[in-house]
Amino acid sequence: VEPDDLERLVSLNNQAVPAVPPISADEMGKLIQAAAFSRAVSRDGAVAGFVVCFEPGVEYDSENYQFFERQQIPHFYVDRIVIDAEARGGGLGALLYDEVAREETRRGLTRVTCEGNLQPPNPASLAFHHRMGFVDVATQETKGGSVVVQLMERPVA
C-alpha cells in the first residue's frame, strides 16, 4: 500500500459499510501504519481492493483481534479485506489471500484468522471465506451487541 492509495482505500472501505466499520483518512493511515502487512490490488490501473493484517502480540483494540489473542495461537489476523463491488467475483480476493498466506508462512505463523458479519448479515463474505478454506470457530457480539460476527480461522496453507 502506497501513501497515494489512502484516499482510494478509504473510499473502498466506506462503500463496503456495514461489512467493515467506516473509517476516516487519518484512521486509515494509522491502521496501515500499525499493521504488520497491507497490500492493495489493482484492476485496469486503479486500486480495486486491499487487505490489512496484524501479527500476534501487538496492542490493537479490536474485539475480534483480542478474541484470537486470548486463544494463544500464532495467528495472522485479517482486520479487513475489501474488494470494489464492481470487481467482486474476479479473483482479486483470492489473490490477496495468496499474498496473506505467503506472508503468514514467511513469519512462521500457523493460522490466518478473521471474522465476517452475521448481524448485520454479510453472507457473501462468509461464503467467500468458507471457499477460501476458513472454518468457523466461534461467534461474538461486538460494538455493544450491535454487531455479531462469525470468527473464523484457516490453518497455514
Side-chain angles (χ1 to χ4, degrees), residues 4 17 20 23 26 30 38 45 48 51 53 55 66 85 87 90 119 122 129-130 138-139 143 150-151:
D4 291 348
V17 171
V20 293
I23 197 165
D26 184 56
K30 289 176 182 174
S38 59
V51 65
C53 302
E55 61 189 347
Q66 291 301 323
Q119 203 56 248
N122 190 350
H129 282 89
H130 290 141
T139 60
K143 299 181 184 359
Q150 179 66 63
L151 298 151

Side-chain angles (χ1 to χ4, degrees), residues 37-143:
F37 179 81
S38 59
R39 289 291 184 273
V41 63
S42 296
R43 185 178 114 177
D44 300 328
V47 172
F50 68 95
V51 65
V52 178
C53 302
F54 284 82
E55 61 189 347
V58 298
E59 289 191 33
Y60 182 47
D61 64 358
S62 160
E63 294 170 277
N64 301 316
Y65 173 80
Q66 291 301 323
F67 170 87
F68 291 111
E69 282 291 278
R70 289 189 298 275
Q71 308 310 304
Q72 298 183 341
I73 57 168
H75 69 104
F76 204 36
Y77 175 69
V78 176
D79 181 74
R80 63 194 69 209
I81 182 169
V82 177
I83 304 297
D84 186 332
E86 293 180 15
R88 290 183 192 145
L92 297 180
L95 182 68
L96 285 171
Y97 266 124
D98 287 346
E99 291 290 317
V100 168
R102 279 191 280 282
E103 186 67 13
E104 167 197 21
T105 300
R106 188 185 75 71
R107 291 172 182 266
L109 301 171
T110 61
R111 298 272 185 273
V112 174
T113 57
C114 69
E115 77 283 335
N117 286 359
L118 292 169
Q119 203 56 248
N122 190 350
S125 175
L126 296 172
F128 166 73
H129 282 89
H130 290 141
R131 283 193 311 274
M132 294 301 302
F134 284 83
V135 296
D136 300 340
V137 295
T139 60
Q140 174 172 269
E141 288 186 357
T142 63
K143 299 181 184 359

